Amino acid sequence: MKPGKTPDLKGKDMRRKNAREYVMSKAFQIDAAHEWDRAADDLLDIDELGSQYDYAKDVLTHVIENRDDIDGIINEVSSGWTTGRMAKADLAIIRVAAAEIKYREDVPKAVAINEAVELAKKYGTEDSGKFINAILGKIPE
């Protein structure tokens, strides 16, 4: 995914799946631009997100504000890989799913993992899905 490129999604009729992809793209952009001091409100478009705005704001806020904790957990559970070595798209997907697992009670861990694997198929390499599944499966709830 190119920095600054947001997936073309559906606005008021946006589903959680699309909002998750939107949040992942914003997490990717923040990381690529090294702008971790940005507020989620500044990055999200309520007109694009519609009814999923609160969900997107909450997850992106957790990714931004808890990045060090999330990355620490990722580094603990990923054998031989650190966040610094991971592909940026994979890392953005993992961070969003980890934020859902750790901070969202309404998102079951299995759903967060499944959705992350689906995003990996779209934005990652051939091995991204397996890699992301293995890491997320080890993250404690």
mmCIF file with all atom_site columns, all heavy atoms in Angstrom, residues 22-28 30 36 38-41 43-44 55-66 96 99:
data_model
loop_
_atom_site.group_PDB
_atom_site.id
_atom_site.type_symbol
_atom_site.label_atom_id
_atom_site.label_alt_id
_atom_site.label_comp_id
_atom_site.label_asym_id
_atom_site.label_entity_id
_atom_site.label_seq_id
_atom_site.pdbx_PDB_ins_code
_atom_site.Cartn_x
_atom_site.Cartn_y
_atom_site.Cartn_z
_atom_site.occupancy
_atom_site.B_iso_or_equiv
_atom_site.pdbx_formal_charge
_atom_site.auth_seq_id
_atom_site.auth_comp_id
_atom_site.auth_asym_id
_atom_site.auth_atom_id
_atom_site.pdbx_PDB_model_num
ATOM 1   N N   . TYR A 1 22 ? -9.676  0.365  6.533  1.00 0.00 ? 22 TYR A N   1
ATOM 2   C CA  . TYR A 1 22 ? -9.427  1.814  6.585  1.00 0.00 ? 22 TYR A CA  1
ATOM 3   C C   . TYR A 1 22 ? -8.446  2.140  7.718  1.00 0.00 ? 22 TYR A C   1
ATOM 4   O O   . TYR A 1 22 ? -7.486  2.882  7.521  1.00 0.00 ? 22 TYR A O   1
ATOM 5   C CB  . TYR A 1 22 ? -10.765 2.534  6.790  1.00 0.00 ? 22 TYR A CB  1
ATOM 6   C CG  . TYR A 1 22 ? -10.709 4.028  6.802  1.00 0.00 ? 22 TYR A CG  1
ATOM 7   C CD1 . TYR A 1 22 ? -11.007 4.753  5.655  1.00 0.00 ? 22 TYR A CD1 1
ATOM 8   C CD2 . TYR A 1 22 ? -10.411 4.729  7.960  1.00 0.00 ? 22 TYR A CD2 1
ATOM 9   C CE1 . TYR A 1 22 ? -10.992 6.146  5.665  1.00 0.00 ? 22 TYR A CE1 1
ATOM 10  C CE2 . TYR A 1 22 ? -10.389 6.111  7.981  1.00 0.00 ? 22 TYR A CE2 1
ATOM 11  C CZ  . TYR A 1 22 ? -10.685 6.816  6.835  1.00 0.00 ? 22 TYR A CZ  1
ATOM 12  O OH  . TYR A 1 22 ? -10.666 8.183  6.844  1.00 0.00 ? 22 TYR A OH  1
ATOM 13  N N   . VAL A 1 23 ? -8.695  1.573  8.906  1.00 0.00 ? 23 VAL A N   1
ATOM 14  C CA  . VAL A 1 23 ? -7.814  1.807  10.055 1.00 0.00 ? 23 VAL A CA  1
ATOM 15  C C   . VAL A 1 23 ? -6.422  1.269  9.769  1.00 0.00 ? 23 VAL A C   1
ATOM 16  O O   . VAL A 1 23 ? -5.415  1.907  10.084 1.00 0.00 ? 23 VAL A O   1
ATOM 17  C CB  . VAL A 1 23 ? -8.409  1.186  11.342 1.00 0.00 ? 23 VAL A CB  1
ATOM 18  C CG1 . VAL A 1 23 ? -7.411  1.228  12.488 1.00 0.00 ? 23 VAL A CG1 1
ATOM 19  C CG2 . VAL A 1 23 ? -9.699  1.900  11.725 1.00 0.00 ? 23 VAL A CG2 1
ATOM 20  N N   . MET A 1 24 ? -6.347  0.100  9.157  1.00 0.00 ? 24 MET A N   1
ATOM 21  C CA  . MET A 1 24 ? -5.044  -0.468 8.812  1.00 0.00 ? 24 MET A CA  1
ATOM 22  C C   . MET A 1 24 ? -4.290  0.472  7.884  1.00 0.00 ? 24 MET A C   1
ATOM 23  O O   . MET A 1 24 ? -3.096  0.708  8.051  1.00 0.00 ? 24 MET A O   1
ATOM 24  C CB  . MET A 1 24 ? -5.228  -1.843 8.153  1.00 0.00 ? 24 MET A CB  1
ATOM 25  C CG  . MET A 1 24 ? -3.933  -2.579 7.831  1.00 0.00 ? 24 MET A CG  1
ATOM 26  S SD  . MET A 1 24 ? -3.077  -2.142 6.288  1.00 0.00 ? 24 MET A SD  1
ATOM 27  C CE  . MET A 1 24 ? -4.259  -2.579 5.063  1.00 0.00 ? 24 MET A CE  1
ATOM 28  N N   . SER A 1 25 ? -4.984  1.065  6.911  1.00 0.00 ? 25 SER A N   1
ATOM 29  C CA  . SER A 1 25 ? -4.315  1.975  5.982  1.00 0.00 ? 25 SER A CA  1
ATOM 30  C C   . SER A 1 25 ? -3.797  3.209  6.712  1.00 0.00 ? 25 SER A C   1
ATOM 31  O O   . SER A 1 25 ? -2.713  3.712  6.402  1.00 0.00 ? 25 SER A O   1
ATOM 32  C CB  . SER A 1 25 ? -5.248  2.382  4.831  1.00 0.00 ? 25 SER A CB  1
ATOM 33  O OG  . SER A 1 25 ? -6.240  3.286  5.262  1.00 0.00 ? 25 SER A OG  1
ATOM 34  N N   . LYS A 1 26 ? -4.539  3.687  7.701  1.00 0.00 ? 26 LYS A N   1
ATOM 35  C CA  . LYS A 1 26 ? -4.097  4.844  8.489  1.00 0.00 ? 26 LYS A CA  1
ATOM 36  C C   . LYS A 1 26 ? -2.912  4.478  9.373  1.00 0.00 ? 26 LYS A C   1
ATOM 37  O O   . LYS A 1 26 ? -1.966  5.255  9.526  1.00 0.00 ? 26 LYS A O   1
ATOM 38  C CB  . LYS A 1 26 ? -5.244  5.408  9.331  1.00 0.00 ? 26 LYS A CB  1
ATOM 39  C CG  . LYS A 1 26 ? -6.376  5.976  8.499  1.00 0.00 ? 26 LYS A CG  1
ATOM 40  C CD  . LYS A 1 26 ? -5.899  7.048  7.545  1.00 0.00 ? 26 LYS A CD  1
ATOM 41  C CE  . LYS A 1 26 ? -7.027  7.594  6.704  1.00 0.00 ? 26 LYS A CE  1
ATOM 42  N NZ  . LYS A 1 26 ? -6.602  8.578  5.726  1.00 0.00 ? 26 LYS A NZ  1
ATOM 43  N N   . ALA A 1 27 ? -2.928  3.289  9.960  1.00 0.00 ? 27 ALA A N   1
ATOM 44  C CA  . ALA A 1 27 ? -1.792  2.826  10.760 1.00 0.00 ? 27 ALA A CA  1
ATOM 45  C C   . ALA A 1 27 ? -0.544  2.703  9.887  1.00 0.00 ? 27 ALA A C   1
ATOM 46  O O   . ALA A 1 27 ? 0.560   3.068  10.297 1.00 0.00 ? 27 ALA A O   1
ATOM 47  C CB  . ALA A 1 27 ? -2.125  1.495  11.435 1.00 0.00 ? 27 ALA A CB  1
ATOM 48  N N   . PHE A 1 28 ? -0.725  2.216  8.679  1.00 0.00 ? 28 PHE A N   1
ATOM 49  C CA  . PHE A 1 28 ? 0.378   2.118  7.715  1.00 0.00 ? 28 PHE A CA  1
ATOM 50  C C   . PHE A 1 28 ? 0.933   3.514  7.403  1.00 0.00 ? 28 PHE A C   1
ATOM 51  O O   . PHE A 1 28 ? 2.146   3.733  7.410  1.00 0.00 ? 28 PHE A O   1
ATOM 52  C CB  . PHE A 1 28 ? -0.111  1.441  6.439  1.00 0.00 ? 28 PHE A CB  1
ATOM 53  C CG  . PHE A 1 28 ? 0.941   1.307  5.375  1.00 0.00 ? 28 PHE A CG  1
ATOM 54  C CD1 . PHE A 1 28 ? 1.738   0.178  5.310  1.00 0.00 ? 28 PHE A CD1 1
ATOM 55  C CD2 . PHE A 1 28 ? 1.142   2.310  4.440  1.00 0.00 ? 28 PHE A CD2 1
ATOM 56  C CE1 . PHE A 1 28 ? 2.710   0.048  4.323  1.00 0.00 ? 28 PHE A CE1 1
ATOM 57  C CE2 . PHE A 1 28 ? 2.109   2.195  3.458  1.00 0.00 ? 28 PHE A CE2 1
ATOM 58  C CZ  . PHE A 1 28 ? 2.896   1.067  3.399  1.00 0.00 ? 28 PHE A CZ  1
ATOM 59  N N   . ILE A 1 30 ? 0.721   6.323  9.163  1.00 0.00 ? 30 ILE A N   1
ATOM 60  C CA  . ILE A 1 30 ? 1.381   6.906  10.336 1.00 0.00 ? 30 ILE A CA  1
ATOM 61  C C   . ILE A 1 30 ? 2.793   6.350  10.465 1.00 0.00 ? 30 ILE A C   1
ATOM 62  O O   . ILE A 1 30 ? 3.747   7.081  10.706 1.00 0.00 ? 30 ILE A O   1
ATOM 63  C CB  . ILE A 1 30 ? 0.576   6.606  11.617 1.00 0.00 ? 30 ILE A CB  1
ATOM 64  C CG1 . ILE A 1 30 ? -0.754  7.329  11.604 1.00 0.00 ? 30 ILE A CG1 1
ATOM 65  C CG2 . ILE A 1 30 ? 1.376   6.982  12.856 1.00 0.00 ? 30 ILE A CG2 1
ATOM 66  C CD1 . ILE A 1 30 ? -1.716  6.833  12.676 1.00 0.00 ? 30 ILE A CD1 1
ATOM 67  N N   . TRP A 1 36 ? 3.727   9.400  14.733 1.00 0.00 ? 36 TRP A N   1
ATOM 68  C CA  . TRP A 1 36 ? 3.041   8.740  15.832 1.00 0.00 ? 36 TRP A CA  1
ATOM 69  C C   . TRP A 1 36 ? 2.442   9.713  16.836 1.00 0.00 ? 36 TRP A C   1
ATOM 70  O O   . TRP A 1 36 ? 1.732   9.306  17.747 1.00 0.00 ? 36 TRP A O   1
ATOM 71  C CB  . TRP A 1 36 ? 3.980   7.753  16.519 1.00 0.00 ? 36 TRP A CB  1
ATOM 72  C CG  . TRP A 1 36 ? 4.184   6.568  15.645 1.00 0.00 ? 36 TRP A CG  1
ATOM 73  C CD1 . TRP A 1 36 ? 5.265   6.300  14.855 1.00 0.00 ? 36 TRP A CD1 1
ATOM 74  C CD2 . TRP A 1 36 ? 3.257   5.506  15.418 1.00 0.00 ? 36 TRP A CD2 1
ATOM 75  N NE1 . TRP A 1 36 ? 5.057   5.119  14.158 1.00 0.00 ? 36 TRP A NE1 1
ATOM 76  C CE2 . TRP A 1 36 ? 3.837   4.622  14.496 1.00 0.00 ? 36 TRP A CE2 1
ATOM 77  C CE3 . TRP A 1 36 ? 1.987   5.218  15.904 1.00 0.00 ? 36 TRP A CE3 1
ATOM 78  C CZ2 . TRP A 1 36 ? 3.190   3.470  14.059 1.00 0.00 ? 36 TRP A CZ2 1
ATOM 79  C CZ3 . TRP A 1 36 ? 1.347   4.077  15.470 1.00 0.00 ? 36 TRP A CZ3 1
ATOM 80  C CH2 . TRP A 1 36 ? 1.948   3.218  14.562 1.00 0.00 ? 36 TRP A CH2 1
ATOM 81  N N   . ARG A 1 38 ? 0.302   12.006 15.912 1.00 0.00 ? 38 ARG A N   1
ATOM 82  C CA  . ARG A 1 38 ? -0.984  12.424 15.339 1.00 0.00 ? 38 ARG A CA  1
ATOM 83  C C   . ARG A 1 38 ? -2.135  11.854 16.159 1.00 0.00 ? 38 ARG A C   1
ATOM 84  O O   . ARG A 1 38 ? -2.050  10.759 16.693 1.00 0.00 ? 38 ARG A O   1
ATOM 85  C CB  . ARG A 1 38 ? -1.131  11.926 13.898 1.00 0.00 ? 38 ARG A CB  1
ATOM 86  C CG  . ARG A 1 38 ? -0.098  12.404 12.914 1.00 0.00 ? 38 ARG A CG  1
ATOM 87  C CD  . ARG A 1 38 ? -0.356  13.776 12.333 1.00 0.00 ? 38 ARG A CD  1
ATOM 88  N NE  . ARG A 1 38 ? -1.648  13.988 11.742 1.00 0.00 ? 38 ARG A NE  1
ATOM 89  C CZ  . ARG A 1 38 ? -1.950  13.802 10.462 1.00 0.00 ? 38 ARG A CZ  1
ATOM 90  N NH1 . ARG A 1 38 ? -1.053  13.358 9.621  1.00 0.00 ? 38 ARG A NH1 1
ATOM 91  N NH2 . ARG A 1 38 ? -3.173  14.078 10.023 1.00 0.00 ? 38 ARG A NH2 1
ATOM 92  N N   . ALA A 1 39 ? -3.219  12.594 16.212 1.00 0.00 ? 39 ALA A N   1
ATOM 93  C CA  . ALA A 1 39 ? -4.433  12.122 16.883 1.00 0.00 ? 39 ALA A CA  1
ATOM 94  C C   . ALA A 1 39 ? -5.312  11.409 15.865 1.00 0.00 ? 39 ALA A C   1
ATOM 95  O O   . ALA A 1 39 ? -5.372  11.801 14.696 1.00 0.00 ? 39 ALA A O   1
ATOM 96  C CB  . ALA A 1 39 ? -5.184  13.299 17.496 1.00 0.00 ? 39 ALA A CB  1
ATOM 97  N N   . ALA A 1 40 ? -5.998  10.383 16.310 1.00 0.00 ? 40 ALA A N   1
ATOM 98  C CA  . ALA A 1 40 ? -6.869  9.627  15.420 1.00 0.00 ? 40 ALA A CA  1
ATOM 99  C C   . ALA A 1 40 ? -7.895  10.539 14.755 1.00 0.00 ? 40 ALA A C   1
ATOM 100 O O   . ALA A 1 40 ? -8.197  10.381 13.566 1.00 0.00 ? 40 ALA A O   1
ATOM 101 C CB  . ALA A 1 40 ? -7.558  8.502  16.181 1.00 0.00 ? 40 ALA A CB  1
ATOM 102 N N   . ASP A 1 41 ? -8.421  11.495 15.507 1.00 0.00 ? 41 ASP A N   1
ATOM 103 C CA  . ASP A 1 41 ? -9.416  12.435 14.946 1.00 0.00 ? 41 ASP A CA  1
ATOM 104 C C   . ASP A 1 41 ? -8.896  13.154 13.712 1.00 0.00 ? 41 ASP A C   1
ATOM 105 O O   . ASP A 1 41 ? -9.658  13.453 12.797 1.00 0.00 ? 41 ASP A O   1
ATOM 106 C CB  . ASP A 1 41 ? -9.807  13.497 15.980 1.00 0.00 ? 41 ASP A CB  1
ATOM 107 C CG  . ASP A 1 41 ? -10.772 12.990 17.013 1.00 0.00 ? 41 ASP A CG  1
ATOM 108 O OD1 . ASP A 1 41 ? -11.407 11.945 16.781 1.00 0.00 ? 41 ASP A OD1 1
ATOM 109 O OD2 . ASP A 1 41 ? -10.899 13.648 18.057 1.00 0.00 ? 41 ASP A OD2 1
ATOM 110 N N   . LEU A 1 43 ? -6.930  12.022 11.502 1.00 0.00 ? 43 LEU A N   1
ATOM 111 C CA  . LEU A 1 43 ? -6.659  11.086 10.411 1.00 0.00 ? 43 LEU A CA  1
ATOM 112 C C   . LEU A 1 43 ? -7.908  10.455 9.814  1.00 0.00 ? 43 LEU A C   1
ATOM 113 O O   . LEU A 1 43 ? -7.861  9.900  8.727  1.00 0.00 ? 43 LEU A O   1
ATOM 114 C CB  . LEU A 1 43 ? -5.732  9.977  10.909 1.00 0.00 ? 43 LEU A CB  1
ATOM 115 C CG  . LEU A 1 43 ? -4.366  10.451 11.371 1.00 0.00 ? 43 LEU A CG  1
ATOM 116 C CD1 . LEU A 1 43 ? -3.711  9.400  12.248 1.00 0.00 ? 43 LEU A CD1 1
ATOM 117 C CD2 . LEU A 1 43 ? -3.497  10.787 10.185 1.00 0.00 ? 43 LEU A CD2 1
ATOM 118 N N   . LEU A 1 44 ? -8.997  10.521 10.548 1.00 0.00 ? 44 LEU A N   1
ATOM 119 C CA  . LEU A 1 44 ? -10.209 9.817  10.136 1.00 0.00 ? 44 LEU A CA  1
ATOM 120 C C   . LEU A 1 44 ? -11.229 10.773 9.532  1.00 0.00 ? 44 LEU A C   1
ATOM 121 O O   . LEU A 1 44 ? -11.363 11.903 9.978  1.00 0.00 ? 44 LEU A O   1
ATOM 122 C CB  . LEU A 1 44 ? -10.829 9.100  11.337 1.00 0.00 ? 44 LEU A CB  1
ATOM 123 C CG  . LEU A 1 44 ? -9.929  8.097  12.048 1.00 0.00 ? 44 LEU A CG  1
ATOM 124 C CD1 . LEU A 1 44 ? -10.622 7.555  13.293 1.00 0.00 ? 44 LEU A CD1 1
ATOM 125 C CD2 . LEU A 1 44 ? -9.522  6.969  11.127 1.00 0.00 ? 44 LEU A CD2 1
ATOM 126 N N   . TYR A 1 55 ? -15.884 3.097  16.143 1.00 0.00 ? 55 TYR A N   1
ATOM 127 C CA  . TYR A 1 55 ? -15.024 1.906  16.152 1.00 0.00 ? 55 TYR A CA  1
ATOM 128 C C   . TYR A 1 55 ? -13.633 2.250  15.626 1.00 0.00 ? 55 TYR A C   1
ATOM 129 O O   . TYR A 1 55 ? -12.616 1.938  16.256 1.00 0.00 ? 55 TYR A O   1
ATOM 130 C CB  . TYR A 1 55 ? -15.645 0.789  15.307 1.00 0.00 ? 55 TYR A CB  1
ATOM 131 C CG  . TYR A 1 55 ? -14.622 -0.214 14.832 1.00 0.00 ? 55 TYR A CG  1
ATOM 132 C CD1 . TYR A 1 55 ? -14.193 -1.237 15.672 1.00 0.00 ? 55 TYR A CD1 1
ATOM 133 C CD2 . TYR A 1 55 ? -14.051 -0.102 13.571 1.00 0.00 ? 55 TYR A CD2 1
ATOM 134 C CE1 . TYR A 1 55 ? -13.222 -2.131 15.250 1.00 0.00 ? 55 TYR A CE1 1
ATOM 135 C CE2 . TYR A 1 55 ? -13.090 -0.994 13.144 1.00 0.00 ? 55 TYR A CE2 1
ATOM 136 C CZ  . TYR A 1 55 ? -12.665 -1.999 13.985 1.00 0.00 ? 55 TYR A CZ  1
ATOM 137 O OH  . TYR A 1 55 ? -11.698 -2.870 13.580 1.00 0.00 ? 55 TYR A OH  1
ATOM 138 N N   . ALA A 1 56 ? -13.572 2.909  14.471 1.00 0.00 ? 56 ALA A N   1
ATOM 139 C CA  . ALA A 1 56 ? -12.291 3.240  13.837 1.00 0.00 ? 56 ALA A CA  1
ATOM 140 C C   . ALA A 1 56 ? -11.465 4.158  14.728 1.00 0.00 ? 56 ALA A C   1
ATOM 141 O O   . ALA A 1 56 ? -10.256 3.959  14.890 1.00 0.00 ? 56 ALA A O   1
ATOM 142 C CB  . ALA A 1 56 ? -12.527 3.883  12.472 1.00 0.00 ? 56 ALA A CB  1
ATOM 143 N N   . LYS A 1 57 ? -12.113 5.147  15.313 1.00 0.00 ? 57 LYS A N   1
ATOM 144 C CA  . LYS A 1 57 ? -11.404 6.082  16.192 1.00 0.00 ? 57 LYS A CA  1
ATOM 145 C C   . LYS A 1 57 ? -10.841 5.346  17.397 1.00 0.00 ? 57 LYS A C   1
ATOM 146 O O   . LYS A 1 57 ? -9.697  5.566  17.785 1.00 0.00 ? 57 LYS A O   1
ATOM 147 C CB  . LYS A 1 57 ? -12.343 7.203  16.638 1.00 0.00 ? 57 LYS A CB  1
ATOM 148 C CG  . LYS A 1 57 ? -11.673 8.188  17.565 1.00 0.00 ? 57 LYS A CG  1
ATOM 149 C CD  . LYS A 1 57 ? -12.627 9.272  18.012 1.00 0.00 ? 57 LYS A CD  1
ATOM 150 C CE  . LYS A 1 57 ? -11.962 10.158 19.052 1.00 0.00 ? 57 LYS A CE  1
ATOM 151 N NZ  . LYS A 1 57 ? -12.889 11.126 19.621 1.00 0.00 ? 57 LYS A NZ  1
ATOM 152 N N   . ASP A 1 58 ? -11.627 4.465  17.989 1.00 0.00 ? 58 ASP A N   1
ATOM 153 C CA  . ASP A 1 58 ? -11.171 3.727  19.160 1.00 0.00 ? 58 ASP A CA  1
ATOM 154 C C   . ASP A 1 58 ? -9.971  2.841  18.835 1.00 0.00 ? 58 ASP A C   1
ATOM 155 O O   . ASP A 1 58 ? -8.963  2.863  19.542 1.00 0.00 ? 58 ASP A O   1
ATOM 156 C CB  . ASP A 1 58 ? -12.318 2.885  19.724 1.00 0.00 ? 58 ASP A CB  1
ATOM 157 C CG  . ASP A 1 58 ? -11.931 2.174  21.009 1.00 0.00 ? 58 ASP A CG  1
ATOM 158 O OD1 . ASP A 1 58 ? -11.620 2.862  22.002 1.00 0.00 ? 58 ASP A OD1 1
ATOM 159 O OD2 . ASP A 1 58 ? -11.943 0.926  21.008 1.00 0.00 ? 58 ASP A OD2 1
ATOM 160 N N   . VAL A 1 59 ? -10.076 2.071  17.759 1.00 0.00 ? 59 VAL A N   1
ATOM 161 C CA  . VAL A 1 59 ? -8.976  1.161  17.415 1.00 0.00 ? 59 VAL A CA  1
ATOM 162 C C   . VAL A 1 59 ? -7.721  1.945  17.031 1.00 0.00 ? 59 VAL A C   1
ATOM 163 O O   . VAL A 1 59 ? -6.628  1.644  17.513 1.00 0.00 ? 59 VAL A O   1
ATOM 164 C CB  . VAL A 1 59 ? -9.390  0.185  16.289 1.00 0.00 ? 59 VAL A CB  1
ATOM 165 C CG1 . VAL A 1 59 ? -8.196  -0.651 15.832 1.00 0.00 ? 59 VAL A CG1 1
ATOM 166 C CG2 . VAL A 1 59 ? -10.508 -0.725 16.760 1.00 0.00 ? 59 VAL A CG2 1
ATOM 167 N N   . LEU A 1 60 ? -7.849  2.961  16.196 1.00 0.00 ? 60 LEU A N   1
ATOM 168 C CA  . LEU A 1 60 ? -6.676  3.731  15.796 1.00 0.00 ? 60 LEU A CA  1
ATOM 169 C C   . LEU A 1 60 ? -6.063  4.462  16.987 1.00 0.00 ? 60 LEU A C   1
ATOM 170 O O   . LEU A 1 60 ? -4.834  4.534  17.103 1.00 0.00 ? 60 LEU A O   1
ATOM 171 C CB  . LEU A 1 60 ? -7.023  4.712  14.670 1.00 0.00 ? 60 LEU A CB  1
ATOM 172 C CG  . LEU A 1 60 ? -5.826  5.426  14.041 1.00 0.00 ? 60 LEU A CG  1
ATOM 173 C CD1 . LEU A 1 60 ? -4.811  4.429  13.469 1.00 0.00 ? 60 LEU A CD1 1
ATOM 174 C CD2 . LEU A 1 60 ? -6.299  6.398  12.961 1.00 0.00 ? 60 LEU A CD2 1
ATOM 175 N N   . THR A 1 61 ? -6.890  4.965  17.878 1.00 0.00 ? 61 THR A N   1
ATOM 176 C CA  . THR A 1 61 ? -6.370  5.607  19.090 1.00 0.00 ? 61 THR A CA  1
ATOM 177 C C   . THR A 1 61 ? -5.559  4.611  19.907 1.00 0.00 ? 61 THR A C   1
ATOM 178 O O   . THR A 1 61 ? -4.466  4.935  20.391 1.00 0.00 ? 61 THR A O   1
ATOM 179 C CB  . THR A 1 61 ? -7.523  6.195  19.930 1.00 0.00 ? 61 THR A CB  1
ATOM 180 O OG1 . THR A 1 61 ? -8.169  7.216  19.164 1.00 0.00 ? 61 THR A OG1 1
ATOM 181 C CG2 . THR A 1 61 ? -7.011  6.795  21.229 1.00 0.00 ? 61 THR A CG2 1
ATOM 182 N N   . HIS A 1 62 ? -6.059  3.386  20.045 1.00 0.00 ? 62 HIS A N   1
ATOM 183 C CA  . HIS A 1 62 ? -5.307  2.362  20.780 1.00 0.00 ? 62 HIS A CA  1
ATOM 184 C C   . HIS A 1 62 ? -3.991  2.030  20.075 1.00 0.00 ? 62 HIS A C   1
ATOM 185 O O   . HIS A 1 62 ? -2.965  1.858  20.735 1.00 0.00 ? 62 HIS A O   1
ATOM 186 C CB  . HIS A 1 62 ? -6.142  1.105  20.977 1.00 0.00 ? 62 HIS A CB  1
ATOM 187 C CG  . HIS A 1 62 ? -7.152  1.232  22.062 1.00 0.00 ? 62 HIS A CG  1
ATOM 188 N ND1 . HIS A 1 62 ? -6.839  1.497  23.367 1.00 0.00 ? 62 HIS A ND1 1
ATOM 189 C CD2 . HIS A 1 62 ? -8.506  1.158  22.024 1.00 0.00 ? 62 HIS A CD2 1
ATOM 190 C CE1 . HIS A 1 62 ? -7.930  1.562  24.092 1.00 0.00 ? 62 HIS A CE1 1
ATOM 191 N NE2 . HIS A 1 62 ? -8.970  1.366  23.295 1.00 0.00 ? 62 HIS A NE2 1
ATOM 192 N N   . VAL A 1 63 ? -4.013  1.943  18.762 1.00 0.00 ? 63 VAL A N   1
ATOM 193 C CA  . VAL A 1 63 ? -2.777  1.665  18.022 1.00 0.00 ? 63 VAL A CA  1
ATOM 194 C C   . VAL A 1 63 ? -1.761  2.778  18.268 1.00 0.00 ? 63 VAL A C   1
ATOM 195 O O   . VAL A 1 63 ? -0.586  2.512  18.544 1.00 0.00 ? 63 VAL A O   1
ATOM 196 C CB  . VAL A 1 63 ? -3.050  1.496  16.511 1.00 0.00 ? 63 VAL A CB  1
ATOM 197 C CG1 . VAL A 1 63 ? -1.752  1.465  15.720 1.00 0.00 ? 63 VAL A CG1 1
ATOM 198 C CG2 . VAL A 1 63 ? -3.863  0.234  16.245 1.00 0.00 ? 63 VAL A CG2 1
ATOM 199 N N   . ILE A 1 64 ? -2.206  4.025  18.199 1.00 0.00 ? 64 ILE A N   1
ATOM 200 C CA  . ILE A 1 64 ? -1.301  5.169  18.374 1.00 0.00 ? 64 ILE A CA  1
ATOM 201 C C   . ILE A 1 64 ? -0.801  5.261  19.824 1.00 0.00 ? 64 ILE A C   1
ATOM 202 O O   . ILE A 1 64 ? 0.404   5.335  20.063 1.00 0.00 ? 64 ILE A O   1
ATOM 203 C CB  . ILE A 1 64 ? -1.998  6.481  17.963 1.00 0.00 ? 64 ILE A CB  1
ATOM 204 C CG1 . ILE A 1 64 ? -2.277  6.499  16.457 1.00 0.00 ? 64 ILE A CG1 1
ATOM 205 C CG2 . ILE A 1 64 ? -1.160  7.692  18.373 1.00 0.00 ? 64 ILE A CG2 1
ATOM 206 C CD1 . ILE A 1 64 ? -3.209  7.618  16.004 1.00 0.00 ? 64 ILE A CD1 1
ATOM 207 N N   . GLU A 1 65 ? -1.732  5.264  20.762 1.00 0.00 ? 65 GLU A N   1
ATOM 208 C CA  . GLU A 1 65 ? -1.368  5.506  22.158 1.00 0.00 ? 65 GLU A CA  1
ATOM 209 C C   . GLU A 1 65 ? -0.677  4.322  22.823 1.00 0.00 ? 65 GLU A C   1
ATOM 210 O O   . GLU A 1 65 ? 0.050   4.500  23.806 1.00 0.00 ? 65 GLU A O   1
ATOM 211 C CB  . GLU A 1 65 ? -2.614  5.896  22.957 1.00 0.00 ? 65 GLU A CB  1
ATOM 212 C CG  . GLU A 1 65 ? -3.159  7.254  22.553 1.00 0.00 ? 65 GLU A CG  1
ATOM 213 C CD  . GLU A 1 65 ? -4.394  7.662  23.329 1.00 0.00 ? 65 GLU A CD  1
ATOM 214 O OE1 . GLU A 1 65 ? -4.883  6.879  24.187 1.00 0.00 ? 65 GLU A OE1 1
ATOM 215 O OE2 . GLU A 1 65 ? -4.883  8.782  23.071 1.00 0.00 ? 65 GLU A OE2 1
ATOM 216 N N   . ASN A 1 66 ? -0.896  3.129  22.316 1.00 0.00 ? 66 ASN A N   1
ATOM 217 C CA  . ASN A 1 66 ? -0.324  1.924  22.935 1.00 0.00 ? 66 ASN A CA  1
ATOM 218 C C   . ASN A 1 66 ? 0.686   1.224  22.031 1.00 0.00 ? 66 ASN A C   1
ATOM 219 O O   . ASN A 1 66 ? 0.963   0.039  22.224 1.00 0.00 ? 66 ASN A O   1
ATOM 220 C CB  . ASN A 1 66 ? -1.453  0.961  23.315 1.00 0.00 ? 66 ASN A CB  1
ATOM 221 C CG  . ASN A 1 66 ? -2.423  1.588  24.279 1.00 0.00 ? 66 ASN A CG  1
ATOM 222 O OD1 . ASN A 1 66 ? -2.060  1.950  25.388 1.00 0.00 ? 66 ASN A OD1 1
ATOM 223 N ND2 . ASN A 1 66 ? -3.660  1.748  23.848 1.00 0.00 ? 66 ASN A ND2 1
ATOM 224 N N   . VAL A 1 96 ? -3.244  -3.421 14.227 1.00 0.00 ? 96 VAL A N   1
ATOM 225 C CA  . VAL A 1 96 ? -4.692  -3.206 14.305 1.00 0.00 ? 96 VAL A CA  1
ATOM 226 C C   . VAL A 1 96 ? -5.361  -4.412 14.967 1.00 0.00 ? 96 VAL A C   1
ATOM 227 O O   . VAL A 1 96 ? -6.177  -4.256 15.884 1.00 0.00 ? 96 VAL A O   1
ATOM 228 C CB  . VAL A 1 96 ? -5.290  -2.912 12.917 1.00 0.00 ? 96 VAL A CB  1
ATOM 229 C CG1 . VAL A 1 96 ? -6.809  -2.957 12.949 1.00 0.00 ? 96 VAL A CG1 1
ATOM 230 C CG2 . VAL A 1 96 ? -4.804  -1.558 12.409 1.00 0.00 ? 96 VAL A CG2 1
ATOM 231 N N   . ALA A 1 99 ? -4.568  -4.509 18.656 1.00 0.00 ? 99 ALA A N   1
ATOM 232 C CA  . ALA A 1 99 ? -5.366  -3.513 19.385 1.00 0.00 ? 99 ALA A CA  1
ATOM 233 C C   . ALA A 1 99 ? -6.786  -4.026 19.606 1.00 0.00 ? 99 ALA A C   1
ATOM 234 O O   . ALA A 1 99 ? -7.361  -3.848 20.684 1.00 0.00 ? 99 ALA A O   1
ATOM 235 C CB  . ALA A 1 99 ? -5.378  -2.185 18.635 1.00 0.00 ? 99 ALA A CB  1
#
